[in-house]
Amino acid sequence: MPTADHGSRRAALRAVLAERGVDALLVTDLLNIRYLTGFTGSNAALVVDARDGSGAEDRTVICTDGRYVIQVGEQVPDLRALIDRSSAPALVRALAEGPGARVGFESHVVTVDALAGWQSVAPDLEFVRSPGLVERLRMVKDEHEVALLRRACASADLALAVLVERGGLRPGRTEREVGRELEFLMLEHGADGISFETIVAAGANSAIPHHRPTDAVLATGDFVKLDFGAEVGGYHSDMTRTYVLGSAADWQREVYDLVARAQAAGRAALAPGVEVAAVDAAARSVIADAGYGELFVHGLGHGVGLEIHEAPGIGALGTGTLLAGAAVTVEPGVYFSGRGGVRIEDTLVVREQEPELLTLTSKDLAIV
C-alpha cells in the first residue's frame, strides 16, 4: 500500500500560506494535525512555518504532552517535538521568542478565550483568522488515503454480505440486534472501528432519514434500510442499502427503482470541474420529475475521509466544483412518512475518466 507523505502535505500548506501572506499556521484541530504529521494522540498542536522556504521545515514544530513522548517520536520522526501539556500556548510562547510574525490560526475551531490568552502572552504576534485551509487540502485524497478508503469500504461490503448470507436480516429480529451484529462483523472483517452509529430502520422507521435503532421488530414486507460504515487507519466508508423482507409490493418496487435511477444519475454526474449543485440536480431532477421531489429531504452527498462528513458538501445550495481525487458519497432517498423509505448510497472517488466506485455491494433490489 502507498505510504503517507506528510512532508508533501506540509509543503502544499506552505504554498497556500505564502499566497495569503501568512508566516506560519498554528494548527490545533487534531485531525488536521494527523493529516499533516501522522500523529494520533489526543493532545497536540502544530506550527507549520512558511517563511524562507528552505528552512521552514526545520522551524515546523509539533507539541504534545508527556504521555506521548515515545509515540510522537515514532509517528513524527521528521519534526522537532516540544513536550508541554498546554500545547498551543507553548507553541505561541516559542513563536513569541522570535521576530514578529503573522500567525494564522484555525478560527473555526479556536475559542475566543484561547485566542485572547495567546494574544496576552505574545503581543508582538499578529494572529490572522485562517479557517479551513487544511480541510481544503484534505478534499483531494492521495493514493495512500484512497487505499485506506478502499479497505474500509471492503470491510463494510464483506460484513454486509456475511450478515445477509447467514440470515441476519429476518422477521423477528430487532433493529438493535441487526445493528450490533453488523458492527461486530465489520470489526471481524478488517475494520479498526465503525464510522458512526449504524442506522437500521425497518418498516415505517425507514422513512426517517437518520433513524436510530430501537427494539422495533423486523416484519415480513418491511423495507429495511441499513446505513453504516467501517473505519480503517482513520479513514471512513459510508454506504446505504435498502432491502425488502419476504416479498415486495408494487409501490416498493416503484420507489426503489426511482431512487436507483436517481442514484445512477448522481454517480454519472461526478467529474472534475462540475459544480456540486449540478451533481445534486442531476439526481434530484429524476425524483422531482416523478412527482416526489418534496420527499427527497436532504443533500445528495458529502465528502468522506478522516471525518465521515467533510468537504465538499453536495447539495442544492452547495458551492464550488468537484476536484479530481475527492472522495464523496452519492445518496438520494425518498421517504413516505408512516409508510417507509429508500436510500441508496455509495462512496466514490472523483477521477478524470469516470468515478471510482469503492462500495461494491449490489444495488439491485434485494428481497431477503
Side-chain angles (χ1 to χ4, degrees):
M1 187 179 79
T3 57
D5 188 345
H6 299 106
S8 292
R9 295 175 185 175
R10 295 191 293 270
L13 177 58
R14 289 191 185 98
V16 173
L17 296 176
E19 289 175 0
R20 293 171 173 263
V22 175
D23 296 318
L25 180 68
L26 177 59
V27 185
T28 51
D29 182 275
L30 287 172
L31 287 180
N32 288 340
I33 293 168
R34 179 173 185 165
Y35 175 77
L36 293 167
T37 69
F39 183 69
T40 61
S42 65
N43 177 34
L46 173 73
V47 164
V48 177
D49 197 298
R51 293 167 292 186
D52 302 327
S54 60
E57 187 78 338
D58 293 335
R59 293 190 301 275
T60 293
V61 183
I62 188 170
C63 183
T64 185
D65 63 65
R67 295 172 296 168
Y68 298 114
V69 171
I70 295 174
Q71 181 176 330
V72 74
E74 292 175 344
Q75 292 183 329
V76 197
D78 51 342
L79 292 181
R80 181 163 60 92
L82 180 66
I83 304 302
D84 192 307
R85 187 162 186 84
S86 299
S87 295
L91 290 179
V92 170
R93 290 193 298 271
L95 284 167
E97 293 174 359
R102 300 186 78 230
V103 179
F105 69 98
E106 296 180 305
S107 54
H108 56 306
V109 296
V110 173
T111 67
V112 173
D113 286 348
L115 176 60
W118 301 344
Q119 291 170 326
S120 68
V121 300
D124 293 334
L125 297 179
E126 179 186 356
F127 289 95
V128 181
R129 291 167 61 96
S130 304
L133 301 187
V134 182
E135 285 85 349
R136 290 186 197 119
L137 295 177
R138 282 170 45 191
M139 278 199 294
V140 176
K141 272 56 180 181
D142 58 34
E143 289 308 310
H144 171 76
E145 294 176 288
V146 173
L148 289 172
L149 286 168
R150 285 195 197 101
R151 287 174 55 189
C153 290
S155 174
D157 278 324
L158 184 54
L160 180 57
V162 172
L163 176 75
V164 173
E165 286 169 5
R166 68 190 195 187
L169 292 179
R170 63 180 183 271
R173 300 198 82 193
T174 68
E175 294 172 338
R176 281 198 179 98
E177 288 171 341
V178 173
R180 288 168 182 161
E181 183 176 5
L182 184 53
E183 290 176 352
F184 172 78
L185 287 169
M186 285 188 282
L187 297 172
E188 194 174 55
H189 291 90
D192 297 328
I194 60 172
S195 292
F196 52 90
E197 182 184 14
T198 295
I199 294 172
V200 180
N205 290 338
S206 63
I208 303 170
H210 278 186
H211 173 72
R212 301 184 70 179
T214 68
D215 290 325
V217 177
L218 281 61
T220 299
D222 278 353
F223 271 137
V224 181
K225 182 181 67 192
L226 305 172
D227 186 345
F228 62 104
E231 179 263 312
V232 173
Y235 285 78
H236 301 78
S237 73
D238 198 357
M239 177 168 69
T240 305
R241 294 294 185 266
T242 305
Y243 294 87
V244 179
L245 296 187
S247 61
D250 288 344
W251 76 272
Q252 291 175 311
R253 293 180 183 275
E254 290 168 5
V255 69
Y256 191 95
D257 176 69
L258 175 62
V259 174
R261 287 189 286 112
Q263 209 258 355
R267 296 197 322 269
L270 295 175
V274 176
E275 295 282 342
V276 294
V279 179
D280 180 274
R284 194 172 299 276
S285 63
V286 174
I287 295 172
D289 290 348
Y292 298 114
E294 73 281 4
L295 301 183
F296 180 9
V297 296
H298 51 74
L300 181 65
H302 54 84
V304 65
L306 284 170
E307 295 177 276
I308 189 59
H309 293 97
E310 58 183 46
I314 303 177
L317 301 179
T319 59
T321 59
L322 290 175
L323 300 172
V328 299
T329 68
V330 175
E331 49 180 303
V334 172
Y335 311 94
F336 294 90
S337 180
R339 195 177 187 191
V342 174
R343 182 164 65 250
I344 302 171
E345 175 186 20
D346 284 313
T347 298
L348 309 98
V349 178
V350 179
R351 300 293 194 185
E352 291 291 345
Q353 300 302 319
E354 62 181 20
E356 178 185 352
L357 180 65
L358 301 186
T359 41
L360 303 180
T361 298
S362 172
K363 289 178 285 290
D364 294 338
L365 176 59
I367 301 171
V368 297

